[in-house]
Amino acid sequence: MSNTIAILDFGSQYSQLIARRIREAHVYCELFPWNTPAEEVLVIQPKGFILSGGPASVYEPGSPRIHPYVFRSRLPVLGICYGMQVLTHQLGGTVSISAEREYGAAQLESIAPNPILPLGSQRVWMSHGDRIESPPPGFTILGRSDNSPIAAMGDLTRGYFGLQFHPEVKHTPGGTQILRSFVIDVCQVEPTWTPESIITENITRIRQQVGQEPVISAVSGGVDSSVATALVHKAVGDQLIPVFVDTGLLRQGEVRHVQRAMQRELGLELILVDAKDQFFKALDGIVDPEQKRRLIGELFIRTFEEQARRLGSPRFLVQGTIYPDVVESSAPDRAQVSSIKTHHNVGGLPPDMKFELVEPLRYLFKDEVRAVGKELGLAEEIIWRQPFPGPGLAIRCLGEVTPTRLERLRAADAILTSELDAAGLLYTSHGPEQIHGSAQAFAVLLPVRSVGVMGDQRTYQEVIALRAVTSDDFMTADWARLPYPLLAYIANRIVNEVEGINRVVYDITSKPPATIEWE
């Protein structure tokens, strides 16, 4: 692979956003922990490096450093916030603790001609305590703010740049263009990362991987597994065998919907495996979310292995793993950020599984998956379907997973989604610019009971939490501002129609600090 950018992650909460902005410029990039060995980074043949921000100070013992191979490569480098500070520190400049920390909006004055910053004033987003007192030899001051006399700097000969602010966040309106200028104008990367190129590259890769052998596809009905199945089907045709496992943890009407969609869209007849009893037995008494994920992940694979034996033991398994799954399941020792949760199709896989995975979407963000699905000709109904986690309702049923509690949750979830759909507020191809719309909406059953009054009688029943968010890529999200009358109507329906529920609450937490799912 070539024509790429390597992003070295120093622990910033915005690191994934840098990757998103680069991808938006139609340039492929990958995110690596700062301490990733050179051979693992250079294998993608980057044409430049971006150093993310991070929580450390360059003077802290053991603080992250730029590996020498970055400088030896003689490729352009862009340091953002901590990335700028560590670049300064290692190249001979001076970094100090600022007398006045700078957080939030600031005005940047660009004072010298350069290839990435337009001259003049622009609003940017600052988040730093340390600041640059003197740039390294060979660097020119490119911009300043009230509290940062060196808010931007550059060595135009070597193509090294430093920004004290965060161009990747939406609070820096011109930030996307700044990143684009660095990648395309400085690094000379061709903007060839498009849905068409993604499909072409993946078809070649899939054919090289599987040859003439049969391939099983793990179909779940969500956009990820559907697009992955369609892409592999385009590559290998009748070699693909789609299998749908009914775990008993699915949404209302899921089996019927998936069967109909696969037949209509791809002309594929699903092999349906009824494994409800096995999954309920495995989850009996389990309340820890990580244990749920691991158990479901392993049983999923065991179920497919059993099905494979009946089909002649094909060794390839298609999964709809996407980049956020990989990032959120990253091992703590490989990054400055901790593992958020174990995705069943990443960290939850058994080490002795018999399959070789085919994961054509592994390095795509959600919006890129949708773009690929559109290019493949899939219906909008599939492309814009509400995301659904692999472990299913088990991780929305907090506490013990039982058939009774799942039916309770399933009914509440169906009421929420049907009413949002009727109101035109489910996520559609119009995208997240809808003021009140939702990219993902679902119900969560809480393992707590509260006192209520129904028909003049005291009740002591469970609580449903409603969750609806807006998001482009699902790496970050904000809570959806659903109309109050609609929320009231949905809550009233749930309490009146779902036995065992007497209270409904609405989750108004963004991601970060929360994740979209509760478990």
Side-chain angles (χ1 to χ4, degrees):
M1 184 179 292
S2 60
N3 220 38
T4 66
I5 294 293
I7 303 169
L8 301 181
D9 183 8
F10 288 91
S12 170
Q13 62 177 314
Y14 302 132
S15 294
Q16 293 87 6
L17 285 179
I18 301 173
R20 284 293 310 116
R21 301 298 170 250
I22 302 304
R23 297 280 187 90
E24 287 170 2
H26 301 299
V27 170
Y28 182 74
C29 62
E30 281 193 36
L31 187 64
F32 300 92
W34 67 272
N35 56 354
T36 303
E39 58 271 18
E40 293 185 30
V41 177
L42 297 180
V43 73
I44 71 168
Q45 302 177 42
K47 288 191 173 181
F49 294 92
I50 296 179
L51 316 176
S52 83
S57 168
V58 295
Y59 295 113
E60 292 176 2
S63 59
R65 290 290 185 262
I66 305 168
H67 280 226
Y69 74 82
V70 173
F71 300 120
R72 286 198 301 266
S73 73
R74 299 185 180 276
L75 294 171
V77 177
L78 172 63
I80 297 172
C81 200
Y82 179 82
M84 176 191 190
Q85 295 158 16
V86 72
L87 185 68
T88 300
H89 183 65
Q90 289 187 230
L91 293 180
T94 305
V95 182
S96 67
I97 298 175
S98 177
E100 294 185 32
R101 298 188 175 189
E102 200 169 19
Y103 297 108
Q107 285 298 123
L108 173 77
E109 292 292 333
S110 182
I111 59 176
N114 67 89
I116 67 171
L117 290 174
L119 291 175
S121 177
Q122 65 172 300
R123 183 164 60 89
V124 298
W125 187 260
M126 296 282 192
S127 180
H128 66 96
D130 294 353
R131 73 178 191 181
I132 312 301
E133 292 295 339
S134 62
F139 279 76
T140 300
I141 299 174
L142 304 180
R144 62 192 174 207
S145 68
D146 288 344
N147 291 323
S148 295
I150 308 175
M153 65 180 192
D155 180 334
L156 276 60
T157 301
R158 289 185 288 182
Y160 290 175
F161 296 90
L163 303 176
Q164 189 61 81
F165 59 92
H166 288 276
E168 68 272 25
V169 302
K170 291 184 177 179
H171 302 294
T172 301
T176 298
Q177 184 56 48
I178 292 170
L179 291 171
R180 180 182 174 86
S181 296
F182 172 73
V183 168
I184 294 178
D185 298 335
V186 177
C187 300
Q188 297 292 296
V189 176
E190 295 287 336
T192 58
W193 182 250
T194 63
E196 297 91 336
S197 70
I198 293 169
I199 292 170
T200 300
E201 289 178 14
N202 268 290
I203 287 175
T204 300
R205 190 178 299 117
I206 292 165
R207 287 173 177 170
Q208 289 174 343
Q209 181 182 6
V210 307
Q212 300 298 315
E213 296 188 42
V215 185
I216 289 182
S217 181
V219 178
S220 70
V223 61
D224 301 331
S225 77
S226 296
V227 173
T229 298
L231 188 48
V232 175
H233 183 252
K234 187 175 181 67
V236 302
D238 292 341
Q239 291 171 235
L240 182 70
I241 306 169
V243 177
F244 184 91
V245 176
D246 185 356
T247 62
L249 309 172
L250 304 173
R251 291 174 288 195
Q252 197 171 84
E254 192 84 19
V255 175
R256 184 175 62 257
H257 170 85
V258 174
Q259 285 179 313
R260 186 173 63 247
M262 286 294 103
Q263 172 62 45
R264 184 180 64 244
E265 294 296 313
L266 301 177
L268 294 173
E269 293 292 342
L270 283 178
I271 295 176
L272 182 61
V273 180
D274 186 347
K276 292 190 287 290
D277 290 344
Q278 296 96 303
F279 277 84
F280 283 131
K281 182 178 180 180
L283 291 169
D284 185 32
I286 304 299
V287 297
D288 178 73
E290 284 295 279
Q291 194 174 357
K292 286 180 186 178
R293 287 177 176 272
R294 286 191 293 269
L295 282 170
I296 291 170
E298 177 167 3
L299 185 53
F300 220 85
I301 291 298
R302 299 308 179 210
T303 304
F304 275 99
E305 287 175 343
E306 173 61 29
Q307 190 62 38
R309 283 191 287 272
R310 299 177 182 178
L311 296 169
S313 298
R315 64 189 179 98
F316 293 103
L317 175 66
V318 179
Q319 284 201 146
T321 307
I322 64 174
Y323 205 31
D325 299 341
V326 177
V327 172
E328 291 188 347
S329 297
S330 62
D333 62 342
R334 291 292 311 280
Q336 293 298 299
V337 289
S338 64
S339 175
I340 298 170
K341 58 190 176 185
T342 300
H343 284 268
H344 80 291
N345 54 352
V346 183
L349 299 176
D352 62 340
M353 99 178 152
K354 302 296 190 294
F355 289 111
E356 180 179 329
L357 295 179
V358 179
E359 298 177 309
L361 314 179
R362 186 177 178 86
Y363 294 104
L364 301 188
F365 289 94
K366 180 71 76 173
D367 58 322
E368 293 173 318
V369 173
R370 296 190 196 278
V372 168
K374 184 176 181 180
E375 184 66 24
L376 287 169
L378 294 180
E380 298 250 320
E381 174 192 359
I382 291 180
I383 295 172
W384 295 101
R385 193 152 192 253
Q386 286 277 307
F388 190 59
L393 296 180
I395 59 167
R396 294 177 180 174
C397 183
L398 277 59
E400 188 174 6
V401 179
T402 67
T404 299
R405 296 190 77 226
L406 276 175
E407 284 304 320
R408 195 170 289 161
L409 172 59
R410 203 174 346 253
D413 184 76
I415 290 172
L416 169 64
T417 55
S418 66
E419 291 299 337
L420 290 180
D421 191 26
L425 296 178
L426 277 182
Y427 199 68
T428 70
S429 57
H430 299 299
E433 67 273 8
Q434 297 178 107
I435 296 175
H436 297 298
S438 61
Q440 188 170 359
F442 54 90
V444 179
L445 182 61
L446 305 185
V448 295
R449 295 178 181 272
S450 70
V451 174
V453 179
M454 291 183 177
D456 295 328
Q457 292 186 343
R458 178 186 184 274
T459 61
Y460 190 56
Q461 297 177 338
E462 290 189 297
V463 180
I464 282 286
L466 304 180
R467 178 75 158 147
V469 299
T470 59
S471 179
D472 289 329
D473 50 36
F474 294 83
M475 297 299 296
T476 61
D478 194 13
W479 61 280
R481 272 61 170 178
L482 299 178
Y484 292 154
L486 178 61
L487 282 172
Y489 181 68
I490 292 170
N492 187 63
R493 276 198 63 190
I494 290 173
V495 170
N496 280 279
E497 298 176 29
V498 182
E499 186 177 353
I501 301 297
N502 68 354
R503 191 177 299 270
V504 177
V505 298
Y506 188 52
D507 183 350
I508 59 169
T509 320
S510 63
K511 174 188 180 179
T515 56
I516 295 175
E517 298 287 346
W518 278 49
E519 288 191 342

